[in-house]
Amino acid sequence: MIAVAWPPVCKPPDLPALRPVPFVALPMRRIAFRSRVIAYPFHAWILATDIILNVSYHGILALDPLSSLQRSVFMSGRGFSYFAETPGLPLSLKCMANGRALYKFGRAEVAVDDGGYLILNDRQPYSIEIASPTQVETFVLWFPDGWAEEVLRGFNETPEMLLAKSPDESGMRASFFERYTPHDRIVSPKVHALRAAFKSEELIQDGWLEEKLRELLASMLSSQRSLRRKIGNLPAVRASTREELWRRVSRARDYLHAHLAAPVSLSEVAAAACLSPFHLLRVFQAVFHQTPHQYLNNCRLDRAKFLLEKTRIPVTAICLECGFTSLGSFSALFHKRCGMSPRAWRKRRGMATEENSNIREVYLMGAT
């Protein structure tokens, strides 16, 4: 085992950490750590003493230590605070458990939490930031180069065309809408199955993993096709205009979801989406069937429910963290939507674990 210094630019993304320690490298990328076994892809490095990377809850990874595919596909980590950025990595799908992480790429800001996932295209530069009162667990799937294009050809070309071409021929690039996607019945079940296999004690077989990854890619592409059909209903003559309009209004929705703790005006959201306030309001209602303010309130209530259930943070602090200006207005809206007070909700549904219990309120205030 050799301790080495590593340039900051090469820090692995999507792996939360609390504080830096001397980096550790092993040729097999498999390390005994706190009596558990961890693994990591892309020459990732241990960044903190309080985090366990790629660990199943039973203590032993389900990954095959000799499988380069498995080491390059799975990435997972836990932590309260973390930041990293990358100039671009392969196509990936990212989801979180027990908290949220903020991704920034281009003009977009996307907060990924327990309720959904984010797909980032191949070589998309991005940064990830975690500042959470709960111990966030990341789970990321990286897809090998060319697999998405291979599955896309199977969708778009006839059997005769596929037989006439070499399997390595590629005349198209797979591209996905980069946005926060609430968990669905098409993609999410396959992601959950892969996560369950990753966390189990049963050794994963490469053949099984290859099949499941291609099935997941097919579901992702199918979901994209369904979304494009919905985009076709937007009020614009040209298809390119409709798609750009949808991207901008989705950017507005992601901005609201990422900034629910702050006072956000319609003009501010419209500026983030590069639309006029009235145009944004009209298109937002047409696409999401609610106003931006209604969507923001729903996000704030969902966040409040999460904090009430998962932490022991005082209700007043949760109220302010979720963007409400007073405890009275928060309690009234919560009771109207949920049928009970915030304290009653916590009493009935609260299940704060020890790892989320010893959190100082300073971690909560100002978390993104």
Side-chain angles (χ1 to χ4, degrees):
M1 190 175 292
I2 303 171
V4 296
W6 193 252
V9 70
C10 295
K11 291 192 303 182
D14 308 302
L15 293 176
L18 276 175
R19 54 182 178 270
V21 296
F23 300 133
V24 179
L26 284 181
M28 288 298 294
R29 309 179 196 172
R30 191 170 176 84
I31 302 174
F33 187 65
R34 288 190 177 181
S35 302
R36 296 180 180 231
V37 178
I38 67 175
Y40 47 98
F42 300 116
H43 303 285
W45 306 88
I46 296 179
L47 297 179
T49 57
D50 291 344
I51 185 150
I52 300 174
L53 309 181
N54 282 10
V55 182
S56 82
Y57 286 91
H58 301 288
I60 300 296
L61 270 178
L63 302 188
D64 182 345
L66 302 179
S67 170
S68 59
L69 172 65
Q70 294 178 35
R71 294 198 307 271
S72 66
V73 165
F74 292 108
M75 180 179 284
S76 183
R78 297 183 195 168
F80 298 95
S81 177
Y82 178 69
F83 176 83
E85 55 188 354
T86 170
L89 291 171
L91 173 69
S92 62
L93 186 148
K94 309 174 187 300
C95 51
M96 303 290 146
N98 200 47
R100 66 196 332 235
L102 179 67
Y103 285 88
K104 293 183 179 180
F105 48 94
R107 297 178 59 93
E109 297 181 49
V110 180
V112 183
D113 55 22
D114 301 62
Y117 59 88
L118 168 67
I119 299 172
L120 285 180
N121 286 310
D122 186 39
R123 311 305 166 190
Q124 170 66 273
Y126 69 92
S127 68
I128 173 179
E129 179 180 358
I130 296 175
S132 173
T134 55
Q135 191 176 50
V136 182
E137 179 184 339
T138 69
F139 180 68
V140 181
L141 293 168
W142 305 91
F143 297 94
D145 287 339
W147 282 28
E149 286 71 23
E150 172 206 325
V151 176
L152 181 60
R153 287 198 301 274
F155 272 109
N156 293 341
E157 297 181 355
T158 65
E160 291 77 14
M161 294 173 65
L162 292 171
L163 287 173
K165 292 182 179 180
S166 166
D168 297 328
E169 286 187 50
S170 178
M172 59 190 74
R173 292 292 297 172
S175 180
F176 297 87
F177 291 113
E178 297 171 317
R179 55 159 190 150
Y180 175 76
T181 305
H183 282 309
D184 51 41
R185 297 181 179 180
I186 301 175
V187 174
S188 298
K190 292 179 173 58
V191 176
H192 295 156
L194 284 164
R195 184 169 180 261
F198 171 76
K199 291 167 61 176
S200 73
E201 293 181 325
E202 184 176 350
L203 194 67
I204 295 176
Q205 301 295 323
D206 276 0
W208 178 88
L209 180 58
E210 285 196 36
E211 292 175 358
K212 294 304 176 183
L213 287 174
R214 285 181 167 87
E215 289 174 2
L216 174 56
L217 283 167
S219 294
M220 290 161 56
L221 289 166
S222 177
S223 179
Q224 292 289 299
R225 285 191 165 192
S226 298
L227 182 56
R228 289 183 186 279
R229 286 194 291 269
K230 293 180 181 178
I231 293 173
N233 296 326
L234 288 177
V237 176
R238 299 176 60 182
S240 59
T241 303
R242 291 193 293 268
E243 185 168 313
E244 179 60 25
L245 194 57
W246 187 89
R247 290 181 189 276
R248 294 192 187 189
V249 75
S250 292
R251 190 189 308 156
R253 186 192 63 164
D254 288 338
Y255 185 89
L256 289 167
H257 188 236
H259 292 269
L260 56 84
V264 182
S265 67
L266 181 62
S267 297
E268 181 182 346
V269 181
C274 298
L275 294 170
S276 71
F278 179 71
H279 194 191
L280 170 65
L281 177 61
R282 185 177 61 180
V283 178
F284 198 100
Q285 286 180 293
V287 174
F288 302 118
H289 310 293
Q290 56 187 324
T291 68
H293 180 71
Q294 290 170 336
Y295 177 78
L296 180 60
N297 273 344
N298 290 335
C299 290
R300 286 171 169 170
L301 286 174
D302 287 342
R303 178 65 173 167
K305 291 176 187 176
F306 171 82
L307 293 174
L308 288 167
E309 294 172 7
K310 300 288 187 177
T311 74
R312 296 172 186 169
I313 296 167
V315 172
T316 301
I318 291 176
C319 160
L320 298 176
E321 163 63 12
C322 294
F324 294 98
T325 55
S326 72
L327 182 60
S329 62
F330 166 61
S331 298
L333 180 61
F334 195 98
H335 193 281
K336 180 180 179 181
R337 296 287 186 87
C338 305
M340 64 184 75
S341 69
R343 287 182 174 83
W345 184 276
R346 167 173 277 171
K347 185 176 181 180
R348 177 175 296 186
R349 300 183 179 229
M351 47 184 176
T353 59
E354 188 62 31
E355 67 181 16
N356 293 337
S357 299
N358 300 320
I359 308 299
R360 294 178 299 169
E361 288 185 37
V362 67
Y363 282 114
L364 179 64
M365 306 311 296
T368 50

